[in-house]
Amino acid sequence: MQAEQLLEVETSQGRRVRVLATVSARARRLNLTVGAGGARVSMPEGTHPATIRAFLREHADWLAKKLRQLELTGRKLSAPVPGREDSLTFRGVQLPVVWKHESFPKIRISNNDLIIGLPMDRDDALPIATRGIRNFLMREMRRESTRLAAYYELRLGKSVSGFRFLPMKTLWGSLSSSGHMTLDLSLILAPPKALEYVVVHEMCHLWVRNHSSKFWDRVADVFPEVDSQRDWLNQSGHGIKTELARWIGKMPQAI
């Protein structure tokens, strides 16, 4: 089988679901997940195609149910309304949002609340809040990513040349040939270990550019929680990507 291949499975209700099948050097069994990038099944090298098809048929209805749940969640997340009770997930913790009327926009965390200060009486209060949240998340993301990269530079002996943060539709990160790292901004909403895993993952590509067993051994050597954090992103990543889009809308440009 190819390293990556799109397969299709039909549920008992007649719905056809596309699944990205990937061969993983680390996989010991078939594993089906549903996340921000859709449905994915990973398998050990040498798995027979008939075994994969049978596995997907067995789990087809579960797969359809999970996809429906994600679709419904996405539709419910409407844009915030200044002054209305709300919350924002930050670093894995759901923070109540406290709106305050202030002359100049200012976003900060105080006593486990996210304080959004802005001129509430203006017609463009929501765009002001959106820009403020975006800048706040950017600032926190840059601080955390820089700190993590500096720490793992000592472990890996290699460093990144710079960072870029933006919403990514399916990926969590990438690394250019020059060592410039791009990270999904929604990772600042995730539990800290999830961001740490993605930073380590991309930094390990400074040593090994592909996803061979040598690469995964390198990741696990410096970050033993690789499997648990990868599973978290596959299973829960859709939520933080959708929540980020709800709060910041479409970014004008990558930073």
Side-chain angles (χ1 to χ4, degrees):
M1 181 179 169
Q2 302 173 13
E4 286 193 348
Q5 183 177 341
L6 272 176
L7 304 177
E8 193 173 78
V9 59
E10 185 173 348
T11 71
S12 58
Q13 289 76 36
R15 177 177 179 178
R16 291 188 172 275
V17 178
R18 301 180 76 185
V19 182
L20 179 64
T22 61
V23 175
S24 170
R26 292 179 57 82
R28 298 293 178 264
R29 57 182 174 80
L30 288 166
N31 184 37
L32 180 62
T33 58
V34 178
R40 178 186 297 263
V41 60
S42 59
M43 70 208 70
E45 296 180 26
T47 304
H48 195 280
T51 302
I52 303 167
R53 288 194 293 270
F55 178 80
L56 291 178
R57 285 195 299 270
E58 180 183 352
H59 295 85
D61 288 341
W62 174 88
L63 179 58
K65 179 181 178 181
K66 295 296 290 185
L67 288 171
R68 282 197 302 271
Q69 289 173 349
L70 291 178
E71 290 162 0
L72 289 171
T73 300
R75 285 199 293 269
K76 288 178 181 177
L77 290 178
S78 56
V81 177
R84 182 178 296 175
E85 182 178 346
D86 217 317
S87 64
L88 173 68
T89 304
F90 178 74
R91 307 290 279 154
V93 177
Q94 193 173 53
L95 301 177
V97 170
V98 177
W99 302 91
K100 288 193 173 183
H101 179 76
E102 297 179 356
S103 300
F104 299 99
K106 185 177 181 182
I107 314 294
R108 68 270 193 194
I109 295 175
S110 177
N111 297 324
N112 293 320
D113 290 332
L114 181 71
I115 312 297
I116 303 180
L118 73 160
M120 299 281 290
D121 54 353
R122 287 183 49 164
D123 293 337
D124 58 347
L126 179 56
I128 293 173
T130 296
R131 287 193 297 271
I133 289 290
R134 184 170 62 230
N135 293 338
F136 169 78
L137 296 178
M138 279 283 186
R139 183 171 65 249
E140 294 297 317
M141 184 67 164
R142 185 171 298 280
R143 181 177 63 82
E144 286 299 315
S145 300
T146 302
R147 180 186 66 81
L148 288 168
Y151 173 77
Y152 281 102
E153 179 182 345
L154 300 176
R155 300 282 305 276
L156 291 165
K158 289 183 179 290
S159 59
V160 297
S161 60
F163 288 98
R164 184 173 66 153
F165 310 110
L166 69 159
M168 304 177 80
K169 187 174 182 180
T170 57
L171 297 177
W172 294 108
S174 64
L175 190 77
S176 71
S177 58
S178 63
H180 201 93
M181 187 184 299
T182 300
L183 294 172
D184 186 340
L185 182 59
S186 72
L187 285 166
I188 198 62
L189 308 184
K193 282 291 182 180
L195 171 59
E196 186 174 352
Y197 158 64
V198 176
V199 170
V200 172
H201 180 118
E202 298 307 330
M203 289 188 72
C204 284
H205 280 310
L206 293 166
W207 284 96
V208 184
R209 287 289 173 177
N210 54 41
H211 288 99
S212 63
S213 58
K214 181 179 179 182
F215 167 80
W216 288 113
D217 288 345
R218 186 67 168 167
V219 175
D221 182 53
V222 295
F223 190 78
E225 303 98 322
V226 51
D227 289 334
S228 63
Q229 295 309 309
R230 187 171 55 180
D231 286 347
W232 189 94
L233 290 169
N234 283 334
Q235 296 165 11
S236 305
H238 174 87
I240 59 172
K241 283 180 180 285
T242 305
E243 186 169 6
L244 178 71
R246 174 185 180 236
W247 277 95
I248 72 170
K250 184 178 180 181
M251 290 179 56
Q253 60 182 16
I255 298 177

